[in-house]
Amino acid sequence: MLIPLSWLKDFVDIDIPAELLAEKLTVAGLEVDKIMYIGVPQTQQAHLHATFKQEVRYPKSDHLVWDREKLLWGAIREIKPHPNADRLVLALVDYGGAELEQCVTGAPNLFEFKGQGPLPEPLYTVIALEGAEVWDGHSDEPKRMILKEKPLRGIPNRSMVCSEKELGISDEHEGIMLFHADLGHKPGTPAQAVLGDIVFNIELTPNLARTFSIYGVAREVAALLDKPLHPPSYEVVMDGAPIDGQVFIDIREPELNPRFTLSLLRDITIKPSPDWMQRRLKLVGQRPINNIVDVTNYVTFEIGQPLHAFDYDKLVARAGGKAPTIITRLPEPGETLETLDEVKRSLDSHNILVCDTAGVLSMGGIIGGAETEISDTTTNVLLEAAAWQFINIRKTMSTQKVHTDAAARFSRGVHPSQAILGLKRGIELMRQLSDGKIAKGIIDDYPLPPETVRVALTTHEIDRIMGVRFSAEEAAALLRRGGFEVKVEGETMHVTAPDFRMDISSDPITGQADLIEEIARISGYAAIPNTIIADMMPDQQANPSLEREEQTRDLLVALGLRETISYRMTTPEREVQLVPPGMASSLPQADYVRLANPISAEKTVLRHTLFISLLENARANARYNERQQLFEIGNVYLKNGNAPLPDEPRKLGLLMTGKRGVSGWMHGEEGGEVNFFDLKGVIEGLLDGLHVRQVSYARAEHTSLHPGRSAQLLLDGQAAGVFGELHPLVGLAFGFEDVSVQIAELDLDAILKQADPLHGVEPLPLTPPVYQDIAFIVRETVTAAQAEAVIRKAGGALLKGVRLFDVYTGDPVPAGHKSLAYNLVYQTDERTLTDKEVAAVHAKIVKLCERELEAQLRA
């Protein structure tokens, strides 16, 4: 939010430099992201440090400081035609000198005054005299220039009337700045004293709803500086006919609309707002429209209570000439509303509406309707100030995809007590600016006032939480600076939170913590001393599950993979893409855990599998990097019947695609595309690093994986996940056409349960090994793992190693068969093996393979 310092000073006396104030606000939780200087110089860092003994963090910025001698407040007295150019005029400007200064300008907003002789009322602007430094208004890039005298179409010109762009206020350069009032300053006053300002850009978090206004920030400043607060005036001059009987209220959903107030203003004149209001609205980023609409925006930014103005006569016409009844309710089926942004909206069942007996008028707390908006012909205004439930406003903003200044405030929380203040402030400003008459009385329907928050707080609790001792009176004084009412009884304070502090909890424990936070904020976090914990540290407890999870991450990174962290939300429609059309799904069949208030339409349920997260991340990253080797550790969520909470098994997902190795200057792209065995190698490396035993693999049938190129991980005979090549149809659905993707989802809990933190080691062998190769012809249905198991069984203690190094099909191997070739290592520490001993074991292996596998020795 943009906070002009000049506006802030209406409510609190500020006697410290703006940079130091920004520091104090930031430390107190109101982060000042940027300071914008309009014409005024920045306070010198050295001066700040020397005077206030505090270094500030804002560097000197490249802003234009207006020369107090050459950039002056001027009054345009007359505008003459240029004798040699139709698109130029001569502006005669009173800048406090002995004579009027003649400026040649092509500003189009001066043409309507051309040739009228002396103006009955002067126009006010900023005049730059010769030698002044301004921004070049005709340059697309930021560029400074020094004014020098030069003729324009034969007329000497040494000064300039300025646009907002030339002064660095905005990019507006369609015309010069024009004011119809002197803003309380005489011609010749330095422009810096008239229009110079400092604007804070404050990043407000949702818990700071109370500060979403100029006055809200002023409350914080008053508390931090221990200064008195000057509230705006809420006095109202009501000299019109009584409002009773001219409008009625019917609140049908008090939980969503706890308060609704109305005031009536008659016989107004629609016209531009005064210069001071327009200037302030521009400083906070608003575009002035007219005196009535501008007041609603002004009050919204000033005190944080949004307002909405209706054309009262249009409401009467909709009611058939009778007094209108304003109704707040939920929509009826099929109702629509055309809003002020010219969008026709289909309404959702939860959208709280402002209606009359003829239909919908506006979307409560968010945006008005087009039919009853203020126009140039409006003569009577019905002003609304209401309170709305913030959760419902947030939900409506999300589903209707609409964001307004009013909705931004209501969605964070505006206390119902502010409605009557906003109404009084707004209707009186409208009266002053439109020459209207306010009807006597206010229509105020307040069916659901919130309870006052009261919390008891002891000095012992402050000391326990903060570690700083405060007397009850000291703590009470700090809280009173923040607007709290405090009654002290001994060491206990009975604190009543002000209505605007909706963040203070009524729960005794949480409420105490909230108040202690306020004491710390207002006294200053820097005042809290650094201390060393006096108590003994508790015994440290190991967390084996977390430690092994971290070990898993380390091993996978060492194996060349990168971790991804994904949202755990998805949609059923997105997970359906993991199943090829017409196939029965292998994914979990449990019901989805659905979010009651999803953050977006793409995140409505909790995921059933990590496949969806891995593939969507890979698809998003494929445009930047074809080679991806990723892993993710996270939970999936499976609804468990009527149990209150779902099952949340922890899974490990792996994904590999692209080249096996990165390109190198010596060898180019290394190793070709990754395949099933690369993924299997990563899994084997992980399990070996975790010292998981009793590992085996079996053929898998999974709808998301390629048939024949997938496997199941078995730990001690129990299934612990699947892995393999992504099914081509699934790959096509995720944009991986003609691209091989290897993917896995493993049960991490089952893996870590089998992980052995202690593992035995064997001494280096004392005798040389004997190497032998063996090859069998077996049926195609025999797996390499089955063959290896039989070989190890026959080899006994002398067989130290078995490694498959070749699989072959084709001549001369018979059809339906394949050749499996293994490297065998024989060794014992007791003696050096003889050829005879090795041959005996080798023969035993051949015989057992022939008997159990029907194998034929090939070599």
Side-chain angles (χ1 to χ4, degrees):
M1 181 178 174
L2 299 176
I3 305 293
L5 185 61
S6 60
W7 199 346
L8 196 62
K9 288 181 177 180
D10 280 1
F11 308 119
V12 60
D13 299 325
I14 299 173
D15 55 4
I16 63 174
E19 295 81 2
L20 186 56
L21 176 61
E23 280 294 303
K24 289 183 175 294
L25 287 171
T26 299
V27 171
L30 284 73
E31 181 185 357
V32 179
D33 178 64
K34 184 179 181 182
I35 302 179
M36 292 167 282
Y37 299 87
I38 301 177
V40 298
Q42 181 177 359
T43 306
Q44 294 297 317
Q45 299 280 330
H47 168 71
L48 271 181
H49 186 61
T51 304
F52 298 95
K53 309 300 182 185
Q54 181 173 348
E55 194 72 47
V56 297
R57 64 184 177 91
Y58 297 97
K60 189 171 183 179
S61 59
D62 183 25
H63 68 280
L64 178 68
V65 178
W66 297 343
D67 190 317
R68 296 182 64 86
E69 301 293 331
K70 297 176 180 177
L71 281 165
L72 306 175
W73 185 240
I76 301 176
R77 303 293 183 182
E78 185 177 356
I79 298 170
K80 297 179 178 181
H82 192 292
N84 304 319
D86 293 338
R87 296 186 179 181
L88 296 176
V89 295
L90 308 178
L92 303 182
V93 185
D94 178 2
Y95 67 99
E99 298 180 354
L100 299 181
E101 180 71 14
Q102 179 176 278
C103 301
V104 182
T105 177
N109 55 342
L110 291 180
F111 286 6
E112 62 178 294
F113 306 101
K114 180 173 61 174
Q116 297 181 7
L119 298 175
E121 294 292 336
L123 300 172
Y124 293 89
T125 188
V126 173
I127 181 171
L129 303 180
E130 184 178 11
E133 183 180 28
V134 295
W135 293 105
D136 187 346
H138 300 284
S139 174
D140 293 333
E141 299 294 330
K143 179 182 176 183
R144 299 191 185 201
M145 67 177 188
I146 304 294
L147 286 187
K148 297 179 180 179
E149 182 176 356
K150 64 178 181 178
L152 290 176
R153 298 298 295 270
I155 301 295
N157 188 55
R158 62 179 183 179
S159 57
M160 179 174 69
V161 282
C162 300
S163 68
E164 291 189 1
K165 182 176 182 179
E166 287 154 344
L167 293 174
I169 296 176
S170 74
D171 292 330
E172 178 61 41
H173 189 57
E174 292 301 314
I176 67 168
M177 297 177 63
L178 281 184
F179 297 87
H180 296 83
D182 59 17
L183 299 183
H185 295 276
K186 296 179 180 180
T189 303
Q192 192 182 106
V194 183
L195 300 179
D197 212 335
I198 294 176
V199 181
F200 300 136
N201 186 5
I202 301 181
E203 296 288 340
L204 296 176
T205 51
N207 65 311
L208 293 171
R210 66 185 185 275
T211 63
F212 220 135
S213 65
I214 308 296
Y215 186 60
V217 174
R219 279 195 298 250
E220 294 291 308
V221 173
L224 296 173
L225 302 184
D226 194 14
K227 299 285 187 180
L229 188 65
H230 312 300
S233 172
Y234 299 113
E235 296 294 326
V236 183
V237 177
M238 298 181 180
D239 53 1
I243 194 172
D244 293 338
Q246 299 191 61
V247 64
F248 303 95
I249 297 178
D250 180 6
I251 297 178
R252 298 181 183 177
E253 300 290 339
E255 294 82 7
L256 304 180
N257 174 212
R259 190 175 194 179
F260 202 96
T261 66
L262 291 171
S263 185
L264 182 60
L265 178 67
R266 288 187 175 275
D267 303 325
I268 68 165
T269 301
I270 297 292
K271 57 185 177 182
S273 299
D275 295 326
W276 64 267
M277 180 174 284
Q278 291 193 38
R279 176 170 172 262
R280 284 190 166 180
L281 289 174
K282 287 180 180 180
L283 287 174
V284 296
Q286 293 295 295
R287 179 176 61 88
I289 299 173
N290 59 51
N291 51 349
I292 300 301
V293 176
D294 288 354
V295 166
T296 64
N297 291 329
Y298 185 85
V299 173
T300 297
F301 280 84
E302 183 185 55
I303 67 172
Q305 171 62 51
L307 306 175
H308 184 72
F310 296 97
D311 188 314
Y312 177 74
D313 294 322
K314 293 177 181 178
L315 294 175
V316 172
R318 286 167 59 93
K322 300 179 181 178
T325 298
I326 303 300
I327 305 167
T328 61
R329 59 173 174 82
L330 294 173
E332 297 174 357
E335 275 192 310
T336 61
L337 171 65
E338 182 178 349
T339 47
L340 291 172
D341 54 2
E342 299 181 349
V343 176
K344 188 172 183 179
R345 302 180 182 276
S346 296
L347 301 172
D348 302 305
S349 59
H350 61 270
N351 299 152
I352 186 67
L353 304 173
V354 178
C355 311
D356 62 4
T357 53
V360 185
L361 298 172
S362 67
M363 198 175 293
I366 296 181
I367 190 170
E371 188 173 346
T372 57
E373 67 177 320
I374 301 298
S375 67
D376 291 341
T377 60
T378 298
T379 57
N380 300 310
V381 173
L382 185 67
L383 183 63
E384 162 213 322
W388 309 95
Q389 191 213 57
F390 71 97
I391 294 176
N392 183 266
I393 296 295
R394 289 184 191 176
K395 189 174 181 181
T396 297
M397 290 171 66
S398 175
T399 57
Q400 290 291 338
K401 295 180 173 56
V402 58
H403 186 281
T404 62
D405 291 311
R409 286 155 179 79
F410 282 127
S411 67
R412 287 167 170 81
V414 178
H415 196 279
S417 65
Q418 302 303 297
I420 192 67
L421 299 180
L423 187 81
K424 290 180 177 181
R425 179 67 171 159
I427 202 69
E428 176 60 20
L429 283 173
M430 288 181 182
R431 183 195 69 80
Q432 294 175 13
L433 303 185
S434 68
D435 304 320
K437 291 187 175 182
I438 302 174
K440 291 186 177 69
I442 290 174
I443 304 295
D444 184 3
D445 194 353
Y446 199 177
L448 199 62
E451 294 183 1
T452 301
V453 175
R454 294 183 174 88
V455 180
L457 178 64
T458 64
T459 56
H460 171 75
E461 188 66 9
I462 299 172
D463 187 15
R464 189 184 73 84
I465 297 294
M466 280 184 63
V468 180
R469 293 186 179 275
F470 286 93
S471 69
E473 288 298 339
E474 290 172 336
L478 291 170
L479 289 172
R480 291 186 184 111
R481 281 165 58 178
F484 296 85
E485 295 181 10
V486 187
K487 182 180 179 182
V488 178
E489 293 182 355
E491 296 301 312
T492 300
M493 292 165 285
H494 299 278
V495 183
T496 301
D499 50 26
F500 59 83
R501 290 304 301 267
M502 298 178 68
D503 57 314
I504 305 298
S505 174
S506 59
D507 175 78
I509 303 300
T510 308
Q512 288 179 351
D514 291 338
L515 295 178
I516 293 170
E517 179 188 5
E518 286 305 298
I519 293 171
R521 278 190 343 104
I522 296 171
S523 64
Y525 293 123
I528 301 176
N530 295 325
T531 58
I532 297 176
I533 296 176
D535 295 338
M536 293 292 293
M537 291 292 291
D539 294 337
Q540 299 300 299
Q541 300 294 325
N543 189 338
S545 176
L546 181 60
E547 291 169 0
R548 292 176 185 175
E549 181 181 309
E550 286 301 309
Q551 184 184 3
T552 301
R553 288 188 171 90
D554 293 340
L555 288 168
L556 289 170
V557 170
L559 289 165
L561 278 68
R562 294 184 177 185
E563 184 176 12
T564 65
I565 301 174
S566 306
Y567 282 112
R568 312 224 172 160
M569 291 85 79
T570 183
T571 63
E573 294 77 16
R574 288 156 74 188
E575 286 202 350
V576 163
Q577 298 179 86
L578 296 169
V579 182
M583 296 182 66
S585 176
S586 300
L587 299 174
Q589 297 304 300
D591 291 336
Y592 282 101
V593 178
R594 298 186 177 274
L595 303 184
N597 187 23
I599 60 176
S600 76
E602 290 76 33
K603 297 177 176 65
T604 60
V605 300
L606 295 178
R607 65 189 176 191
H608 276 173
T609 173
L610 294 187
F611 280 170
I612 187 69
S613 303
L614 288 168
L615 288 170
E616 289 183 342
N617 283 335
R619 176 173 59 188
N621 291 327
R623 59 186 295 188
Y624 306 110
N625 195 349
E626 293 182 359
R627 180 180 182 271
Q628 300 187 67
Q629 299 190 6
L630 313 172
F631 75 91
E632 178 172 356
I633 294 175
N635 298 91
V636 299
Y637 302 84
L638 309 175
K639 201 167 185 179
N640 185 6
N642 295 323
L645 296 175
D647 294 332
E648 301 181 23
R650 185 169 42 163
K651 299 289 185 178
L652 167 63
L654 307 172
L655 184 143
M656 302 176 70
T657 186
K659 299 296 181 182
R660 182 170 291 115
V662 296
S663 299
W665 67 274
M666 292 182 64
H667 305 292
E669 293 180 340
E670 298 282 349
E673 303 285 334
V674 295
N675 58 30
F676 170 87
F677 296 101
D678 292 288
L679 180 59
K680 183 171 182 285
V682 168
I683 294 172
E684 289 174 337
L686 172 65
L687 297 178
D688 184 62
L690 292 172
H691 312 298
V692 177
R693 313 301 176 196
Q694 304 299 322
V695 178
S696 59
Y697 304 91
R699 186 181 298 275
E701 295 293 336
H702 193 284
T703 50
S704 298
L705 302 179
H706 192 299
R709 299 181 188 174
S710 56
Q712 187 176 37
L713 172 65
L714 302 174
L715 299 181
D716 203 10
Q718 300 297 315
V722 294
F723 62 94
E725 184 176 321
L726 190 66
H727 195 290
L729 294 179
V730 177
L732 190 62
F734 283 89
F736 294 103
E737 185 176 0
D738 299 328
V739 177
S740 173
V741 178
Q742 312 300 322
I743 195 165
E745 183 175 62
L746 308 178
D747 187 340
L748 186 59
D749 288 321
I751 292 173
L752 297 183
K753 185 177 180 181
Q754 296 289 336
D756 189 355
L758 302 177
H759 57 284
V761 295
E762 295 182 0
L764 294 173
L766 302 176
T767 60
V770 177
Y771 298 101
Q772 294 275 343
D773 291 346
I774 192 170
F776 293 104
I777 296 175
V778 296
R779 298 186 308 277
E780 283 189 342
T781 55
V782 175
T783 66
Q786 289 174 319
E788 180 180 335
V790 173
I791 292 171
R792 289 187 180 278
K793 178 180 176 182
L798 295 183
L799 182 62
K800 293 298 185 181
V802 181
R803 184 177 69 86
L804 177 70
F805 72 86
D806 184 60
V807 180
Y808 175 74
T809 58
D811 289 336
V813 177
H817 290 71
K818 61 185 175 183
S819 170
L820 301 177
Y822 293 88
N823 295 132
L824 306 180
V825 181
Y826 299 96
Q827 192 175 36
T828 178
D829 285 341
E830 297 176 359
R831 61 190 181 280
T832 300
L833 294 175
T834 65
D835 291 343
K836 185 176 180 180
E837 289 176 301
V838 172
V841 177
H842 207 71
K844 187 178 178 181
I845 291 173
V846 172
K847 288 183 180 180
L848 192 60
C849 287
E850 289 175 346
R851 184 169 66 246
E852 295 194 6
L853 301 177
E854 299 179 0
Q856 298 178 21
L857 182 66
R858 184 180 176 208

